[in-house]
Amino acid sequence: MYDRVWTVRFSDTDPFGIAHYPRIVDALHETSDMFMQEIGFPFWEISQERGFGLPLVEMNFEFENPVEAGDDVTIELTPSLSTRSVRFEYVARCNGAVMFSGYEQRVCAQKDGGAIELPDDLRTAMEVYTDS
């Protein structure tokens, strides 16, 4: 599992002080960006230098508790690998309570289109963070 802390800013919230759902989605995308950079495969480099990417094809989240300005939310990302895709499973906690959870499904695709198998070096880098 990879994790990072997202500090919710006042600008992330609505007039009731609760985080806007688009800001939560942004925090999750930022988490996957940080994860990919951590394992040596930044999204911007794989598409520019290796000719493939991991476009988002599906996402789903359940919100269990409100996230408020000032909260330090630990976002955990666990990759689940298949042949041509990866699912990023997320659990976000604040003070031990689950705030939201869900996933992003990403397919490995060539820059000019068409799904391909996850490259071995990418698979190996992600396997360190899987549940198995």
Side-chain angles (χ1 to χ4, degrees):
M1 169 189 63
Y2 170 84
D3 67 5
R4 68 87 167 211
V5 175
W6 170 46
T7 300
V8 181
R9 306 291 177 205
F10 179 74
S11 60
D12 296 327
T13 65
D14 63 18
F16 298 104
I18 297 172
H20 292 286
Y21 76 88
R23 289 299 303 132
I24 291 171
V25 171
D26 286 345
L28 294 171
H29 286 305
E30 185 176 65
T31 301
S32 64
D33 273 345
M34 294 167 75
F35 169 71
M36 293 297 290
Q37 186 172 7
E38 173 80 15
I39 65 171
F41 291 87
F43 283 125
W44 59 89
E45 283 183 12
I46 60 175
S47 64
Q48 297 292 325
E49 296 175 12
R50 299 205 37 194
F52 76 90
L54 295 171
L56 181 66
V57 295
E58 181 182 354
M59 67 186 315
N60 186 37
F61 296 95
E62 292 185 27
F63 301 99
E64 298 182 33
N65 290 294
V67 176
E68 300 175 340
D71 284 350
D72 286 325
V73 179
T74 300
I75 301 175
E76 303 166 353
L77 180 159
T78 304
S80 177
L81 308 172
S82 67
T83 304
R84 295 177 178 220
S85 66
V86 60
R87 178 178 280 216
F88 292 151
E89 302 277 351
Y90 294 97
V91 177
R93 302 175 200 276
C94 184
N95 298 321
V98 174
M99 308 309 278
F100 55 90
S101 60
Y103 67 87
E104 291 180 324
Q105 185 71 35
R106 294 176 173 269
V107 67
C108 189
Q110 295 174 0
K111 193 171 183 180
D112 58 359
I116 59 171
E117 290 189 12
L118 288 172
D120 290 338
D121 54 349
L122 176 58
R123 177 179 297 282
T124 299
M126 285 188 182
E127 283 176 342
V128 174
Y129 295 89
T130 62
D131 282 336
S132 52

